[in-house]
């Protein structure tokens, strides 16, 4: 067979429609991408030479070019997540640098950038729809943030900083990993393991065997407790040995903060480079650079939100600690008057057990997956007037457990489709849960005929598979997770925008994209929704009322302390990227200690090196963006409050509010600024009241 024939038959080069998953093999990856990227580079050169500053002469051809890349690259990334193998990993590593290089070339293309600017300044600008205008403005902004406007030395310095920051992030991550694995607490006597649950003893014996203690068992030990969270956290919750909790806590908070693995110098260098990078792009600091592409317009807006939440949660956190002391006292604990950091998790867990008296395991039989799906689809119909029906067999799948569904409007016309891959497969599927786009909505005109290409989503979860003729029985956490991911899915699938660049979640700001997902989680606590799906898988009996009341009560357990911790992290992150200067009087540790005075109830210990383990902002994408978690939660709680105000028992009011939510938050996608979208739904700007109310913190203002 000729090389051309092999390429033409490669399913990764199909370029449109549903992927033929069963036909894709790791051997096809490298030839497909080498061919595709060579072709796309050629097309990019032609486009740069002939580009016109018009929608049809710039955006349309550019979108066709990037869509071909995203179609193939999206499938490869999807398979890496759900059907990983050593062969696929090797193939992926070979082509990833080539793809990244092409994306950089595209991002720094001067002819395309100039054409976008000319289109923005042209007479036709006013005739474009808001979705088109947002796509053009985002392209101009992203090119600037990619350094397109820099020349000569400045451009070289920009690219050099980007390379060094990538290396430092990897080094930070490796130091943290090595420091975490370097420590273990070795226990050899029954007295040292008092209070520990069976699951932790099994994990600790396994850690001991890995470390060379070949005869270690959960019953006889020895047991190795590590700083890995699944080992560290249960020990802090359950160990009755206060001296050992203190030892483990101090090891945990000093990870990667001294010796050869010290991350402090890396932190200072990262902050220095980010400041330099920002100045090259004409920003005063990195926080302003980060916010240039987010919903929060400026740092004062973020600080205002954080301060409002801080004031509401601080007193509640103080009360949480006082209640914990009183509880410890009632149990005759010697440390009750002087609780330390290593006592908090232990006493919080004892108090929780006594207050709510139920475990996640007890609820599982009431949440079999088929019933949870019925409840979820019933809610979607009730809120948005759309119907979900199985469409298994109508699409190629990557595993026999994968389902395919159709979403139809009230006239039974299809408006979207989605895949659901619900169960964990540790050997080939990564952990966690996510939504991804398989196909984006788009208006297509061919041979004078215009049609709408319907969106298709991937919904991926990792819950317990069916075992011994039992269906998949879900924990309440897994139910919330499914609702959360389905919220992202609805954002992608119910969009009315016909331009891919702003359809669904495309072009939605980072700090607003969690609104539809967090919004859906609220419905898990809604009485009609919960009782509509919570029925015992064998007897069909509904969930007993006392469990529902305990679920509601436990939702806000120590919520003041939990919120204050998020405020602390967000405030430290913001301060380091906004006011802190590497050459100034304060070190990053000083900054954190100063912020802690108003954002912690128990101040950090002098040796606390938490920043050295704050991977989110030093190796992940959350630098000057950690606040996004709370920002989106304010929006989602306020959106849900619209339904509470309308009356959750009033079906007509729910339907009217649901349609308005569908026509704004879900339909408008990235075609308008998220604040305008929110205002179109709520007829006002967002308020923190609903979030505080849902967390039981409103009376404390």
């Amino acid at each position: 067979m000729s090389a051309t024939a092999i390429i033409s038959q490669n399913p990764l080069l199909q370029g449109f429609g549903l992927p033929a998953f069963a036909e894709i093999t790791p051997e096809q990856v490298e030839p497909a991408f080498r061919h595709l990227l060579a072709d796309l580079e050629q097309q990019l050169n032609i486009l740069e030479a002939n580009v016109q500053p018009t929608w049809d002469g710039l955006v349309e051809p550019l979108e066709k070019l990037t869509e071909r890349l995203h179609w193939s690259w999206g499938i490869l990334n999807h398979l890496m997540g759900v059907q990983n193998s050593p062969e696929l990993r090797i193939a992926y590593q070979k082509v990833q640098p080539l793809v990244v290089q092409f994306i950089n070339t595209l991002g720094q293309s001067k002819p395309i950038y100039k054409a976008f600017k000319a289109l923005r300044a042209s007479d036709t600008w006013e005739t474009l729809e808001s979705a088109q205008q947002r796509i053009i403005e985002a392209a101009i902004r992203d090119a600037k943030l990619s350094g397109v406007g820099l020349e000569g030395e400045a451009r070289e310095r920009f690219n050099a900083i980007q390379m060094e920051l990538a290396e430092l992030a990897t080094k930070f991550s490796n130091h943290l990993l090595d420091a975490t694995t370097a420590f273990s607490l070795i226990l050899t006597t029954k007295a040292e393991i008092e209070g520990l649950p069976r699951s932790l003893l099994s994990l600790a014996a396994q850690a001991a065997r890995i470390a060379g203690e070949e005869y270690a068992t959960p019953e006889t030990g020895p047991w190795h407790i590590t700083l890995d969270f699944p080992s560290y956290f249960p020990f802090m919750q359950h160990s009755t040995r206060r001296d050992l909790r203190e030892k483990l806590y101090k090891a945990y908070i000093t990870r990667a903060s001294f010796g050869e693995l010290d991350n402090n110098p890396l932190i200072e260098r990262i902050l220095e480079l980010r400041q330099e990078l920002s100045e090259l792009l004409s920003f005063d600091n990195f926080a302003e650079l980060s916010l240039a592409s987010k919903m929060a317009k400026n740092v004062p807006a973020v600080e205002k939100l954080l301060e409002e939440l801080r004031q509401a949660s601080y007193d509640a956190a103080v009360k949480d600690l006082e209640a914990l002391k009183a509880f410890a006292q009632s149990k005759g604990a010697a440390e009750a008057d002087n609780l330390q950091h290593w006592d908090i998790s232990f006493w919080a867990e004892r108090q929780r057990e006594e207050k709510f008296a139920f475990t996640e395991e007890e609820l599982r039989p009431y949440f079999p997956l088929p019933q949870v799906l019925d409840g979820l689809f019933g809610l979607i119909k009730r809120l948005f007037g759309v119907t979900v029906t199985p469409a298994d067999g109508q699409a190629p799948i990557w595993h026999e457990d994968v389902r395919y569904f159709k979403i139809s409007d009230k006239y039974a016309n299809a408006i979207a489709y989605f895949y659901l891959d619900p169960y964990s497969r540790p050997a080939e599927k990564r952990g966690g849960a996510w939504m991804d786009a398989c196909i984006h909505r788009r208006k297509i005109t061919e041979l004078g005929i215009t049609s709408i290409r319907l969106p298709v989503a991937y919904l991926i979860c990792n819950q317990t598979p069916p075992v011994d003729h039992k269906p998949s029985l879900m924990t309440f956490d897994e139910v919330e997770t499914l609702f959360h991911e389905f919220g992202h899915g609805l954002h992608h699938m119910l969009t009315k925008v016909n331009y891919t660049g702003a359809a669904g979640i495309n072009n939605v700001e980072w700090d607003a994209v969690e609104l539809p997902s967090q919004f859906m989680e609220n419905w898990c606590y809604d009485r009609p929704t919960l009782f509509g799906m919570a029925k015992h898988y064998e007897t069909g009996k509904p969930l007993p009322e006392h469990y529902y009341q305990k679920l509601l009560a436990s939702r806000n357990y120590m919520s003041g302390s939990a919120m204050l911790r998020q405020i602390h992290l967000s405030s430290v992150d913001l301060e380091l990227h906004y006011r802190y200067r590497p050459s100034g009087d304060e070190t990053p540790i000083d900054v954190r200690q100063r912020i802690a005075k108003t954002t912690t109830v128990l101040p950090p210990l002098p040796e606390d090196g938490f920043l050295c383990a704050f991977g989110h902002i030093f190796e992940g994408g959350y630098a000057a963006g950690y606040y996004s978690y709370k920002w989106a939660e304010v929006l989602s709680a306020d959106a849900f409050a619209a339904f509470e105000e309308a009356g959750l028992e009033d079906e007509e009011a729910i339907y009217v509010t649901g349609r308005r939510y569908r026509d704004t938050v879900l339909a408008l996608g990235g075609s308008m600024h998220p604040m305008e979208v929110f205002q179109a739904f709520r007829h006002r700007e967002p308020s923190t009241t609903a979030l505080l109310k849902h967390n039981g913190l409103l009376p404390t203002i």
Side-chain angles (χ1 to χ4, degrees):
M1 198 184 284
S2 72
T4 318
I6 291 169
I7 287 296
S8 70
Q9 286 172 15
N10 191 318
L12 281 166
L13 292 172
Q14 185 181 307
F16 61 90
L18 295 172
F21 294 109
E23 294 167 27
I24 297 171
T25 64
E27 297 76 53
Q28 298 162 333
V29 171
E30 199 182 348
F33 278 90
R34 287 197 181 277
H35 175 83
L36 177 66
L37 291 168
D39 195 18
L40 292 179
E41 269 169 40
Q42 206 177 343
Q43 282 187 30
L44 179 58
N45 292 334
I46 295 168
L47 179 59
E48 286 181 328
N50 303 296
V51 69
Q52 302 293 318
T54 63
W55 185 264
D56 295 343
L58 165 65
V59 188
E60 286 280 343
L62 187 61
E63 201 165 79
K64 277 187 180 149
L65 187 153
T66 53
E67 277 222 319
R68 279 187 61 201
L69 176 63
H70 291 153
W71 191 89
S72 304
W73 187 231
I75 291 160
L76 183 56
N77 277 291
H78 173 67
L79 291 174
M80 283 288 286
V82 296
Q83 225 181 17
N84 205 308
S85 68
E87 297 76 24
L88 190 66
R89 214 178 278 189
I90 292 164
Y92 183 86
Q93 282 166 351
K94 281 184 183 165
V95 301
Q96 187 188 26
L98 308 175
V99 174
V100 171
Q101 202 177 338
F102 178 75
I103 291 169
N104 285 343
T105 305
L106 190 61
Q108 290 188 342
S109 162
K110 284 241 160 68
I112 285 177
Y113 174 63
K114 283 177 179 159
F116 269 115
K117 282 183 70 175
L119 175 53
R120 174 71 184 83
S122 70
D123 298 339
T124 56
W125 175 254
E126 294 303 329
T127 66
L128 298 174
E129 294 172 36
S130 79
Q132 295 173 296
Q133 293 185 346
R134 282 257 304 169
I135 289 167
I136 293 159
E137 285 177 330
I140 294 169
R141 176 198 71 209
D142 293 345
K144 281 183 191 161
L145 300 182
S146 303
V148 72
L150 301 174
E151 300 289 349
E153 279 181 25
R155 189 177 207 167
E156 279 175 31
R157 181 66 194 135
F158 180 89
N159 290 335
I161 290 174
Q162 292 284 42
M163 290 297 276
E164 192 181 340
L165 280 172
E167 284 165 21
L168 287 167
T170 304
K171 207 169 175 184
F172 183 99
S173 172
N174 292 341
H175 278 187
L176 180 55
L177 188 67
D178 295 348
T180 303
T181 49
F183 176 93
S184 71
L185 184 64
I186 299 170
L187 310 177
T188 54
T189 68
K190 289 283 187 199
E192 290 171 321
I193 60 163
E194 200 186 313
L196 302 184
R198 167 78 195 191
S199 55
L200 179 56
L201 295 175
S202 299
L203 191 67
Q206 185 188 350
R209 288 194 298 276
I210 291 167
E213 297 277 0
E214 56 181 307
Y215 299 113
T217 70
E219 292 76 25
T220 60
W223 305 271
H224 287 201
I225 302 293
T226 70
L227 297 179
D228 200 29
F229 205 72
S231 176
Y232 166 79
F233 191 62
F235 187 88
M236 297 305 291
Q237 282 182 307
H238 299 288
S239 170
T240 57
R241 285 286 297 269
R242 190 178 189 225
D243 57 330
L244 296 178
R245 294 201 308 264
E246 178 179 355
K247 192 174 178 182
L248 193 67
Y249 176 80
K250 287 182 171 171
Y252 190 77
I253 60 162
T254 54
R255 284 177 304 157
S257 67
F258 60 89
E260 288 180 4
L261 301 175
D262 189 358
N263 271 341
N264 282 302
L266 304 189
I267 289 172
E268 300 208 1
R269 181 65 179 153
I270 288 169
L271 292 170
E272 195 182 326
L273 289 172
R274 283 178 179 165
Q275 180 61 30
E276 190 187 344
L277 188 78
S278 312
E279 288 168 7
L280 278 172
L281 294 174
S282 306
F283 290 97
D284 287 341
N285 51 67
F286 191 80
E288 289 176 7
L289 165 59
S290 167
L291 291 178
S293 55
K294 294 187 172 69
M295 178 180 174
K297 290 191 176 67
N298 50 42
V299 176
V302 177
E303 290 190 323
K304 178 174 176 282
L305 171 76
L306 293 177
E307 178 56 20
E308 205 172 312
L309 296 178
R310 186 196 72 79
Q311 286 186 16
S313 53
Y314 190 85
D315 289 348
V318 170
K319 283 178 187 155
D320 285 344
L321 184 60
E322 284 168 0
L324 218 49
K325 282 181 183 170
F327 179 76
Q329 219 154 17
S330 75
K331 299 296 173 196
E335 67 265 27
D337 293 334
N338 185 28
L339 289 187
Q340 296 294 326
H341 291 278
W342 47 90
D343 300 319
I344 303 299
S345 297
F346 177 79
W347 287 109
E349 194 53 29
R350 301 292 76 72
Q351 184 175 267
R352 182 205 298 267
E353 287 168 355
E354 196 160 298
K355 264 186 143 168
F356 308 116
F358 79 94
T359 66
E360 283 265 284
E361 293 302 313
E362 288 171 58
L363 296 185
R364 272 189 199 266
Y366 293 95
F367 293 109
L369 174 65
Q371 225 160 262
V372 172
L373 288 176
D374 285 347
L376 174 59
F377 299 159
L379 174 68
I380 298 312
K381 185 164 192 176
R382 181 180 164 215
L383 295 179
F384 310 128
V386 297
T387 307
V388 183
T389 48
D392 300 300
Q394 295 177 29
I397 54 175
W398 55 91
H399 188 277
E400 59 185 11
D401 290 338
V402 174
R403 308 265 330 257
Y404 193 61
F405 293 91
K406 174 169 80 168
I407 298 188
S408 314
D409 63 16
K410 62 180 176 188
Y411 306 110
N413 300 317
I415 48 177
Y417 295 88
F418 65 93
Y419 288 99
L420 174 66
D421 185 351
Y423 312 128
S424 76
R425 297 190 294 277
E428 60 172 21
K429 186 176 173 183
R430 69 178 163 94
W434 64 95
M435 188 288 294
D436 213 344
C438 174
I439 296 175
H440 295 276
R441 182 180 167 104
R442 186 180 179 191
K443 183 169 68 179
I444 294 176
T445 305
E446 275 171 358
L447 307 173
I449 298 166
T450 299
S451 61
I452 299 294
R453 182 180 69 194
L454 299 180
V456 181
Y458 299 120
L459 295 177
I460 316 293
C461 294
N462 257 301
Q463 63 204 52
T464 317
V467 185
D468 302 334
H469 311 298
K470 286 181 188 171
S472 169
L473 300 176
M474 302 168 73
T475 65
F476 189 70
D477 265 0
E478 288 170 344
V479 174
E480 281 190 292
T481 299
L482 176 64
F483 273 60
H484 179 104
E485 298 310 331
F486 203 76
H488 283 308
L490 290 170
H491 204 185
H492 172 69
M493 296 186 285
L494 297 190
T495 188
K496 296 264 179 73
V497 180
N498 293 326
Y499 305 101
T500 293
I505 59 171
N506 287 342
N507 205 29
V508 175
E509 280 71 355
W510 173 282
D511 44 5
V513 85
E514 294 291 332
L515 190 177
S517 52
Q518 291 178 340
F519 166 81
M520 285 299 293
E521 288 181 41
N522 289 292
W523 292 98
C524 296
Y525 295 90
D526 169 53
R527 179 180 282 277
T529 305
L530 186 75
F531 283 102
M533 61 184 171
K535 296 184 183 73
H536 197 284
Y537 79 101
E538 286 174 324
T539 64
K541 285 187 176 164
L543 183 76
E545 178 67 27
H546 70 96
Y547 278 131
Y548 178 57
Q549 294 306 328
K550 284 172 183 173
L551 268 176
L552 291 180
S554 65
R555 188 182 186 185
N556 289 334
Y557 179 58
M558 293 188 76
S559 57
S561 304
M563 188 181 289
L564 193 63
R565 176 159 172 77
Q566 290 298 96
I567 304 304
H568 175 67
L569 301 180
S570 304
S571 304
V572 171
D573 166 41
L574 203 61
E575 188 76 1
L576 287 174
H577 290 104
Y578 185 52
R579 293 187 185 87
Y580 166 78
R581 289 295 173 273
S583 51
D585 302 333
E586 282 188 311
T587 65
I589 296 169
D590 295 334
V591 171
R592 188 209 171 189
Q593 292 286 1
R594 170 165 58 79
I595 299 269
K597 286 179 182 150
T598 55
T599 57
T600 60
V601 177
L602 272 185
L605 297 178
E607 67 266 40
D608 190 321
F610 161 73
L611 288 177
C612 296
F614 199 179
H616 270 82
I617 70 169
F618 294 118
E619 53 166 298
Y622 278 88
Y626 196 84
Y627 75 89
S628 298
Y629 284 114
K630 279 287 163 246
W631 188 273
E633 212 181 328
V634 167
L635 301 175
S636 63
D638 200 349
F640 183 70
F643 291 84
E644 293 177 314
E645 289 159 21
L648 291 174
E649 307 296 326
D650 181 341
E651 282 310 306
E652 195 172 329
I654 289 292
Y655 185 70
V656 170
T657 314
R659 291 317 291 256
R660 194 168 78 243
Y661 179 88
R662 180 187 164 185
D663 293 341
T664 52
V665 177
L666 298 178
L668 296 171
S671 69
M672 283 163 66
H673 189 276
M675 184 60 89
E676 292 173 33
V677 174
F678 186 88
Q679 285 175 314
F681 170 58
R682 232 24 196 117
H683 307 312
R684 59 164 173 75
E685 290 208 349
S687 139
T688 55
T689 308
L691 177 63
L692 296 173
K693 190 175 142 205
H694 292 162
N695 281 288
L697 296 172
L698 199 57
T700 61
I701 293 182

